[in-house]
Amino acid sequence: MWGYISELKADVERMRARQGLPREGPGSPSSNGVPPRLQASAASEEQGGPMAGAKEALDKLLIADFFLVLFILAWLAAGVAQSGLNGGSSPLLDAWYPLWPLLWQPALGVLMAGALVSGGIGWVAEQQAKRR
């Protein structure tokens, strides 16, 4: 089994050499436990300035909103199933309907608009990176 591990390590080193990446080892820059790809990602975010921070905050908001929308969908599905089993009456749907214009529609709108804005910010950042 240990022979396979040493062969795997040799393959990884050959791949690194082909791609021009530094070798891993005790004295290498990536020996701090953080993979080089993540180090590069953190460096690019630091260079992005306030735009990167705003995009990260927007992405966190969108993730939370996405799970809220999943909860809304599960509640609606449970209400429809209960309505089908009870012959048209469902306390779950009766509680869900009044919240549609107040909470559920805005949550869906924020998710859709936020996805468009986040994609736009990412595109702009990519275009700026290409110019550099």
Side-chain angles (χ1 to χ4, degrees), residues 37-92:
R37 184 174 20 171
L38 293 180
Q39 288 177 352
S41 173
S44 68
E45 284 182 10
E46 288 174 5
Q47 292 173 355
M51 190 72 135
K55 183 168 177 0
E56 184 178 331
L58 178 63
D59 288 344
K60 287 181 182 180
L61 174 75
L62 289 177
I63 289 170
D65 193 37
F66 174 74
F67 284 108
L68 175 64
V69 168
L70 285 181
F71 171 73
I72 294 166
L73 183 61
W75 185 354
L76 177 64
V80 168
Q82 185 180 35
S83 176
L85 292 174
N86 291 343
S89 165
S90 173
L92 287 175

Side-chain angles (χ1 to χ4, degrees), residues 3 5 13 15 18 24 34 38 50 57 65-66 69-70 73 77 89 92-93 98 106 108 111 114 121 128-129:
I5 293 175
E13 289 302 321
M15 181 191 73
R18 271 190 242 135
E24 285 191 5
V34 178
L38 293 180
D65 193 37
F66 174 74
V69 168
L70 285 181
L73 183 61
S89 165
L92 287 175
L93 284 179
L108 287 168
L111 184 64
I121 290 172
Q128 289 177 349

Side-chain angles (χ1 to χ4, degrees), residues 13 16 21-39:
E13 289 302 321
R16 286 182 162 285
L21 297 173
R23 294 189 68 198
E24 285 191 5
S28 69
S30 64
S31 63
N32 61 2
V34 178
R37 184 174 20 171
L38 293 180
Q39 288 177 352

